[in-house]
């Protein structure tokens, strides 16, 4: 679990509805999974999420100093350092201003993928998963 709050916002051309973004300064705790990747792999993931060409070098030392690296104004264009695990930095991609993002309900396929992650990664039962996902702001607003 990490500190913060999730919101469903934006409109994904891939998923057909809102996607989850983390507000690391928000109240609460968010279940999370960690994957060990190299800095170059992180740069490629960022490029894919921002619809940019992969291969850009990132100066991740900014994360150690400032805790955030802003690469643009869009969704998933801010890299936030959440802490560390065994001296390895934990980072996530999010938006700069979660509180200003318009809420938008996610698609059933997106929710199904989140549910699978909560079940596999945290051992949650279907009732707990349904309650958790329904409580995320944006989950019951707008079109899917």
């Amino acid at each position: 679990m990490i500190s913060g709050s999730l919101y469903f916002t934006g409109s994904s051309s891939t998923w057909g509805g809102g996607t989850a973004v983390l507000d690391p300064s928000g109240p609460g705790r968010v279940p999370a999974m960690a994957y060990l990747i190299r800095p170059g792999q992180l740069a490629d993931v960022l490029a894919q999420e921002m619809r940019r060409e992969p291969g850009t070098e990132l100066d991740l030392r900014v994360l150690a100093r400032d805790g955030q690296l802003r690469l643009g104004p869009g969704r998933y264009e801010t890299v936030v350092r959440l802490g560390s695990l065994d001296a390895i930095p934990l980072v996530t991609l999010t938006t700069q201003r979660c509180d200003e993002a318009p809420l938008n309900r996610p698609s059933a396929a997106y929710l199904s993928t989140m549910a699978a992650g909560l079940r596999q990664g945290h051992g949650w039962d279907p009732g707990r998963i349904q309650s958790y996902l329904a409580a995320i702001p944006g989950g019951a607003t707008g079109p899917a």
Side-chain angles (χ1 to χ4, degrees):
M1 298 283 252
I2 57 174
S3 295
S5 300
L6 284 185
Y7 296 85
F8 289 122
T9 184
S11 183
S12 169
S13 59
T14 301
W15 291 101
T19 56
V21 294
L22 174 73
D23 179 354
S25 65
R29 309 271 300 154
V30 176
M33 300 276 292
Y35 299 91
L36 182 61
I37 61 175
R38 294 183 302 277
Q41 291 173 302
L42 175 62
D44 285 347
V45 169
L46 283 164
Q48 291 172 39
E49 289 295 337
M50 295 184 294
R51 310 272 195 262
R52 297 179 184 175
E53 286 295 317
T56 303
E57 296 274 334
L58 295 175
D59 184 1
L60 296 177
R61 293 174 296 183
V62 173
L63 288 172
R65 184 181 65 239
D66 301 336
Q68 288 192 4
L69 175 61
R70 292 186 175 140
L71 301 169
R75 190 181 54 203
Y76 300 138
E77 293 196 17
T78 300
V79 185
V80 177
R81 183 175 178 160
L82 302 170
S84 62
L85 178 65
D86 297 331
I88 299 169
L90 296 172
V91 300
T92 193
L93 315 178
T94 191
T95 186
Q96 287 182 11
R97 297 294 311 254
C98 294
D99 57 338
E100 294 178 358
L103 299 178
N104 191 22
R105 186 166 48 102
S107 68
Y110 190 84
L111 289 173
S112 178
T113 298
M114 287 184 73
L118 292 167
R119 189 172 42 258
Q120 292 168 2
H122 296 277
W124 288 10
D125 64 66
R128 184 173 182 190
I129 292 169
Q130 184 176 13
S131 294
Y132 175 76
L133 294 175
I136 297 172
T141 57

